[in-house]
Amino acid sequence: MEPFQYHRPGTLSEALRLLQNHGGEARPLAGGQSLMPLLAEGILAPQVLVNLVDIPEMRELSWSDSGGLSIGAVVTQRNLELSPLVQARLPSLADAVSKVASVPVRNLGTLGGNLCHAGPGADPPAILMALNSSLRISGPTGERVLPVEDLFVGPYENALAEGEVLLAIQVPPMPAGAKAVYLKHSVRAIDPAIVGIGAMVQVRNGLVREARIGMVGAGPRPVRARGAEEALRGRPFDEDSIRNAAQAAAAEAEPLTDGYASAGYRRKMVAVFVRRALEKLRVTM
Amino acid sequence: MKHLIKLTVNGEEYEVAIEPNRSLLDVLRDDLELTGTKKGCETGDCGACTVVLDGKTVNACLILAVSANGKSILTIEGVAQGGKLHPVQEAFIEHGAIQCGYCTPGMILSAKSLLEENPRPTEWEVREAIAGNLCRCTGYVKIVKAILAVAEEMAKAPVA
């Protein structure tokens, strides 16, 4: 690890000031589970690290019936997974987060850090997209809100501007009668997803009223499977519409080849796992 | 610039002056000379450096020592009490759940943490709990058996 200055501000304003003062030389640090390997291997060598874990607004985990779940950016994945609140209100989110790496990694790793790292095979983006989540981002000029899918610009590249930090993740309450699920395909539990599918479907009067599908591992960045969603909306939630949605998702995926799987295999698995996720939802409705 | 930090390790208090670019793993091994915590991949994949930080297992390679300031840490050296091995350690010996031994400190700490949180784990839960600890001798079957045996013994033993 190259030398760096280390700061641990106690307030958001102090953190923003530090990040702004040091410009591109500074990096925010949360749980460090993605950043530490990059520092250890010399891939990143920032001159300044700003540890965000003490910032009160980023540590909150709360629920409101109108806004849903608000997850401070430095809440750990393990805390989310074990939270009775999250398990009761958004069980698919608790389950998806429990699929990240290993217990020790989840004990330190934060949801905000996972998202900002923007790994193509990270699990949480898939379910967060399906659940229609948005991000509260804070920067020198104030706060802005971004749909979660707009955070991911490319592999390991996020949409935050210099000096901005992710403050919290907002997950709305489940729409009436909707169900959601996350399915991960990986060889070892600790690996990133070869393919991960988050799906949320709401059926009303026998027809799909709303469908949102998030895919990870299916391209250079997490994306919504908009064609698959379209193949479901307004139709009966049956074998035909599910088959069409799975085919649409495979067609719109832009998978890459890496050490875990080839692009061709990934495309096939997108179809398989979209179908399985939707079937899983259908049998519970 | 060096930072002065306080760590409580296996019940003993330490004060060390360190540069911020040092992992907790390096400070434990090189400054405190507690080499029972092993250094494997340094990228959080192998779990050889698993320690318990404020009651939770973490990879010591993935946290800066300076970020652990004020925290309480349990390493493998602190698991045996008063010269008596912990039941998980006993079970690993009993079941031959050790081959080269490199993953063992991390395995023991992950297993101990699991059983404290969940005294009656299923085999699947045991496997999930040690998913972050790689055994390159591939001795998983005996490791899983050893952990399940401790759970069974604990269930039989009268509650102290």
Side-chain angles (χ1 to χ4, degrees):
Chain A
M1 259 186 279
E2 295 295 320
F4 49 77
Q5 279 180 45
Y6 175 87
H7 296 278
R8 191 165 171 166
T11 64
L12 179 61
S13 57
E14 200 188 338
L16 291 174
R17 187 178 50 76
L18 282 163
L19 289 169
Q20 200 178 10
N21 286 352
H22 295 286
E25 306 300 337
R27 281 246 162 198
L29 167 69
Q33 302 304 283
S34 303
L35 188 57
M36 284 290 285
L38 298 177
L39 298 177
E41 292 181 353
I43 294 166
L44 286 179
Q47 291 181 8
V48 178
L49 282 188
V50 180
N51 190 341
L52 305 175
V53 298
D54 288 336
I55 294 168
E57 297 94 316
M58 293 191 173
R59 297 169 58 90
E60 280 170 23
L61 178 64
S62 61
W63 174 267
S64 81
D65 286 340
S66 53
L69 189 68
S70 177
I71 307 165
V74 304
V75 172
T76 66
Q77 295 168 121
R78 185 71 169 161
N79 277 350
L80 281 176
E81 164 191 358
L82 299 178
S83 156
L85 173 67
V86 181
Q87 287 173 352
R89 301 287 186 170
L90 297 160
S92 62
L93 175 62
D95 182 59
V97 170
S98 80
K99 301 286 192 281
V100 174
S102 61
V103 172
V105 167
R106 297 198 296 278
N107 274 336
L108 285 177
T110 66
L111 183 62
N114 181 300
L115 296 179
C116 289
H117 183 61
D123 304 289
I127 192 70
L128 288 173
M129 285 188 282
L131 295 175
N132 199 15
S133 314
S134 56
L135 308 173
R136 284 173 56 205
I137 292 166
S138 193
T141 55
E143 210 179 298
R144 64 180 174 121
V145 176
L146 194 69
V148 68
E149 50 260 48
D150 293 348
L151 180 69
F152 311 109
V153 178
Y156 310 104
E157 199 182 334
N158 68 44
L160 298 188
E162 205 172 285
E164 281 189 326
V165 292
L166 173 58
L167 200 60
I169 299 100
Q170 200 73 37
V171 192
M174 290 289 286
K179 291 275 168 65
V181 71
Y182 175 69
L183 293 187
K184 174 178 189 168
H185 178 39
S186 67
V187 176
R188 303 180 306 172
I190 62 165
D191 290 336
I194 291 172
V195 165
I197 302 295
M200 191 264 279
V201 175
Q202 181 191 27
V203 175
R204 216 157 306 130
N205 303 325
L207 299 177
V208 174
R209 181 158 184 239
E210 178 60 304
R212 297 177 64 93
I213 298 173
M215 306 193 282
V216 297
R221 63 195 179 97
V223 287
R224 292 261 302 278
R226 291 181 194 273
E229 295 171 1
E230 214 43 56
L232 292 168
R233 252 180 235 124
R235 296 190 168 75
F237 195 27
D238 59 16
E239 270 175 37
D240 279 349
S241 64
I242 288 175
R243 192 184 325 110
N244 291 339
Q247 280 167 4
E252 66 192 307
E254 298 174 339
L256 304 175
T257 294
D258 65 12
Y260 294 104
S262 69
Y265 178 72
R266 284 198 148 100
R267 191 182 296 284
K268 285 184 180 156
M269 289 306 107
V270 166
V272 170
F273 279 81
V274 166
R275 177 176 53 76
R276 284 186 193 171
L278 294 173
E279 288 291 357
K280 197 157 184 173
L281 293 180
R282 192 167 73 105
V283 298
T284 62
M285 284 186 181
Chain B
M1 191 188 76
K2 285 196 172 178
H3 292 240
L4 191 65
I5 62 161
K6 281 184 187 171
L7 301 173
T8 304
V9 185
N10 305 329
E12 270 185 59
E13 285 188 20
Y14 295 86
E15 215 172 56
V16 276
I18 50 151
E19 291 291 345
N21 65 338
R22 309 269 318 278
S23 68
L24 176 63
L25 174 63
D26 283 345
V27 169
L28 287 172
R29 288 180 55 87
D30 300 339
D31 297 39
L32 308 188
E33 298 183 348
L34 292 168
T35 54
T37 305
K38 299 304 177 208
K39 191 170 189 168
C41 65
E42 287 185 88
T43 50
D45 290 298
C46 79
C49 68
T50 304
V51 299
V52 181
L53 182 86
D54 281 355
K56 292 173 179 171
T57 52
V58 304
N59 289 309
C61 73
L62 291 190
I63 178 168
L64 295 170
V66 70
S67 294
N69 187 16
K71 305 257 186 208
S72 182
I73 295 147
L74 175 73
T75 70
I76 191 66
E77 287 91 345
V79 172
Q81 291 291 325
K84 195 176 171 342
L85 292 181
H86 186 276
V88 175
Q89 292 173 305
E90 293 281 7
F92 269 55
I93 297 170
E94 181 77 14
H95 289 81
I98 303 164
Q99 291 181 45
C100 84
Y102 207 78
C103 72
T104 309
M107 285 285 183
I108 300 265
L109 287 167
S110 283
K112 180 175 176 291
S113 288
L114 166 70
L115 295 173
E116 282 164 9
E117 273 175 28
N118 177 4
R120 294 307 312 265
T122 61
E123 182 179 333
W124 182 253
E125 286 168 335
V126 169
R127 289 181 178 278
E128 281 201 323
I130 59 169
N133 296 89
L134 301 190
C135 167
R136 294 203 293 189
C137 311
T138 69
Y140 293 105
V141 170
K142 287 179 174 180
I143 291 170
V144 171
K145 275 189 184 159
I147 298 169
L148 287 170
V150 180
E152 215 164 290
E153 279 305 309
M154 280 166 44
K156 274 192 235 156
V159 179

